[in-house]
Amino acid sequence: MKQIEQWKSGFKDGIPICLGYFAVSFTFGIKAGIVGLTVFQTVLISVTNVTSAGQFAGIDMIAYGASYMEMALAQLVLNIRYCLMSCSLSQKLESNLFPVHRFFIAYGVTDEIFGVTICHDGKLNPYYSYGVMSSAVPGWIFGTFFGIVFGNIMPVSVLNALGIAIYAMFIAIIIPKAKESKSVRLVVLGAMVCSMAFYTLPIIKQVSAGFRTIIITVLIAGIAAWLCPINEENTNER
């Protein structure tokens, strides 16, 4: 009974995530259709990845004809944060928990699901995580499916409008944080300058889109960490 109650609690907490996932993945489905992927290929990507930034970057790199090596390195850089999240989340699990539970929990480690589960009081029951994933992940998968299906029949003008939805979402996330944090402002401005340089300067504009993403991400994140380090004492206090 305790496991059922934990699952129900997690399922309820995952509903808002489901709604957000549906909206974003709908745009992903549309974009994948524009690139030329089939419904099966697109849905399979969402089922096996469940990562917005990684999937959108992957679609862009497919469109640019990037190599497998570029795509692998880009995904490593973009998604390496999930390793840190998993390490943090593992501290909330019982030490004698069966490895199979850890495996299935790891599948659902996304920014939003991590945020909900890490804030859960006390030790994390795996069935709570399963509940969150049971409502959140289908939102991502079905949003992708409906995005690519309806993207094939929608007018071009509507598709163009919906195609910028992901960028609007990123802006909505970045601007409030940039107002509050100097380090975030530094990262945003630095990324803009570097991106412009890669598109305009004669020599480096020959670098492929995949390696541009990798270089800019590592370079700007490294500079920001050097110039605006996080005070470990303050972090521990929070």
Side-chain angles (χ1 to χ4, degrees):
M1 290 298 294
K2 181 181 178 181
Q3 294 174 345
I4 295 176
E5 290 302 319
Q6 287 287 332
W7 184 88
K8 289 181 178 179
S9 176
F11 187 89
K12 180 180 178 181
D13 292 343
I15 292 176
I17 301 176
C18 171
L19 299 177
Y21 277 0
F22 187 92
V24 177
S25 62
F26 189 91
T27 305
F28 170 75
I30 291 174
K31 191 167 186 179
I34 294 174
V35 170
L37 297 184
T38 65
V39 174
F40 175 77
Q41 291 170 333
T42 304
V43 173
L44 182 62
I45 290 173
S46 283
V47 170
T48 55
N49 287 267
V50 199
T51 167
S52 58
Q55 289 184 211
F56 277 98
I59 287 295
D60 287 335
M61 297 177 79
I62 290 174
Y64 290 131
S67 66
Y68 289 132
M69 179 61 69
E70 289 175 312
M71 294 184 67
L73 288 174
Q75 294 303 315
L76 175 64
V77 171
L78 289 171
N79 296 323
I80 198 169
R81 67 189 187 279
Y82 295 132
C83 293
L84 302 178
M85 292 179 188
S86 296
C87 290
S88 177
L89 198 60
S90 67
Q91 303 303 307
K92 289 181 66 67
L93 300 174
E94 296 288 350
S95 58
N96 60 349
L97 188 68
F98 287 129
V100 68
H101 285 301
R102 297 177 183 271
F103 177 83
F104 285 119
I105 290 173
Y107 168 75
V109 176
T110 66
D111 298 336
E112 296 78 12
I113 294 177
F114 169 79
V116 170
T117 53
I118 198 67
C119 293
H120 191 61
D121 293 335
K123 287 292 185 179
L124 180 64
N125 188 304
Y127 288 89
Y128 177 82
S129 292
Y130 299 156
V132 177
M133 287 187 279
S134 294
S135 56
V137 175
W140 185 259
I141 296 172
F142 283 108
T144 300
F145 173 77
F146 285 112
I148 190 169
V149 169
F150 285 102
N152 291 329
I153 61 177
M154 283 182 174
V156 176
S157 58
V158 176
L159 291 178
N160 291 336
L162 291 174
I164 65 172
I166 184 62
Y167 304 108
M169 184 195 72
F170 286 145
I171 292 173
I173 294 173
I174 291 171
I175 296 301
K177 289 294 183 181
K179 291 181 178 179
E180 300 173 2
S181 173
K182 176 183 176 182
S183 59
V184 174
R185 290 197 297 272
L186 175 66
V187 169
V188 172
L189 292 175
M192 291 172 61
V193 171
C194 284
S195 295
M196 185 178 297
F198 271 103
Y199 276 101
T200 56
L201 296 182
I203 299 177
I204 60 175
K205 75 176 183 179
Q206 303 300 322
V207 177
S208 66
F211 279 112
R212 287 179 196 170
T213 302
I214 297 168
I215 294 170
I216 293 173
T217 302
V218 174
L219 178 64
I220 298 303
I223 293 174
W226 175 51
L227 296 178
C228 305
I230 296 176
N231 189 312
E232 292 186 4
E233 293 182 359
N234 292 338
T235 302
N236 292 331
E237 290 176 2
R238 290 196 299 268

